[in-house]
Amino acid sequence: MEVASLDTVASVLHSWDLSLTEAMLQNMEAEQQRRAQEAQRHKEAEAKRMTLKVQQLAREQQQCHKEAIKDAEAQVDRLRQEAQKAEEALAMARLELREQTQEGEEEAPGLKCQVTELHDVLMKDVGNRIRADGRSVLRARCGRFGVWTDNSDSMGVPRWPLVIDPSGQAATFLRYQDTNYVDTVNPEHLKPERLRLALLGALRYGKPLVFDLREVDLFPAVQRQLEAVQPGLAQTLLSRGLLEQERYLSLLRPTDGPEYSPTQFQEQRLEHFRLFFVTKVQWPPAEQLQVLLPVRVQLPGTGL
């Protein structure tokens, strides 16, 4: 009122009802609160919208990632199949080359291969040469222990390979594969219990059992020790009868532990079981060549 330039203004101010000012202030405060709440709601709605957008983008990214992984896995699987086909084609080409180079040479019983081809010949049996052998083996009495002879009147079964390699490279190869290796010149290796576990483990885990005969004719000794494990074991093992009708379960003992329970022997693993004999003797005894399939290892650049 003191600084009013007009009397009418001073009169209005003099007669002003302060309750109106309080009401106006309350209205102003209420409006500010409303605007603040509106801004908060807008902020929350925007945050929610952004959260939903981020989640959507994350889902889209995850889906793209899954599709990329799926595409990558399909690509890897396709490449793996192509590599497997190429490997099989290479193995077959090696087999054909090996057979062609052997034409005209002095015929020796069994198969021939290079050291580098042992995996194809023994582990994979490329061309089914071992499976197609089909020579049958029966037991004939000769002295105290049985020997094995061929008999064309019985049902043919493939013979287990006898790897003939005077250089010793095949023995080294088989020793350092995933095999149960038996050094027959080591008396500890030929103990019946150790033999039983070596055979049982090879059957249980589906891998080869290798008898390294070295440069000594220890095949009869192996037969004797197998018979010490279980009467008739040598016959059923060499004739593959041990694999039929779960006869291998007769090798189990109560002390073997849960890993050797009957349910642990699975067909898909048993199919990978192999029995190999390896010798450094260039011309093994005739009875061995009858019961076992000779696989002669040739050194590169030689006919031996």
Side-chain angles (χ1 to χ4, degrees), residues 157-298:
V157 293
R159 295 171 293 174
W160 296 114
L162 171 64
V163 184
I164 303 171
D165 178 24
S167 74
Q169 295 183 48
T172 302
F173 166 79
L174 290 171
R175 183 171 188 173
Y176 291 101
Q177 296 293 303
D178 184 19
T179 65
N180 281 2
Y181 172 85
V182 178
D183 184 357
T184 58
V185 301
N186 187 337
E188 291 294 321
H189 284 207
L190 284 182
K191 287 185 175 180
E193 181 61 10
R194 183 156 181 169
L195 277 183
R196 184 184 71 86
L197 292 175
L199 173 56
L200 205 58
L203 292 165
R204 161 68 172 82
Y205 295 101
K207 54 184 177 180
L209 173 63
V210 178
F211 287 98
D212 187 354
L213 303 176
R214 301 287 189 106
E215 57 280 319
V216 187
D217 181 17
L218 290 174
F219 184 66
V222 172
Q223 289 181 285
R224 288 194 297 269
Q225 294 307 104
L226 288 172
E227 292 297 309
V229 173
Q230 184 181 89
L233 179 58
Q235 177 183 2
T236 57
L237 177 59
L238 290 173
S239 66
R240 300 178 184 250
L242 187 67
L243 302 175
E244 300 174 357
Q245 300 177 355
E246 298 184 339
R247 293 178 183 172
Y248 50 83
L249 295 181
S250 63
L251 295 171
L252 294 176
R253 303 291 183 268
T255 57
D256 287 335
E259 67 272 20
Y260 287 109
S261 66
T263 57
Q264 296 298 320
F265 290 82
Q266 301 176 7
E267 187 66 28
Q268 59 268 31
R269 289 180 178 172
L270 290 168
E271 290 176 355
H272 292 285
F273 170 76
R274 303 285 188 273
L275 176 63
F276 300 139
F277 292 84
V278 58
T279 180
K280 295 174 104 177
V281 178
Q282 187 169 359
W283 300 105
E287 58 268 20
Q288 289 184 32
L289 300 180
Q290 290 176 347
V291 68
L292 300 174
L293 173 63
V295 178
R296 298 186 179 274
V297 177
Q298 297 177 306

Side-chain angles (χ1 to χ4, degrees), residues 132-144:
D133 171 57
R135 293 282 295 278
S136 59
V137 290
L138 290 179
R139 189 176 187 184
R141 287 292 177 182
C142 180
R144 182 178 177 185

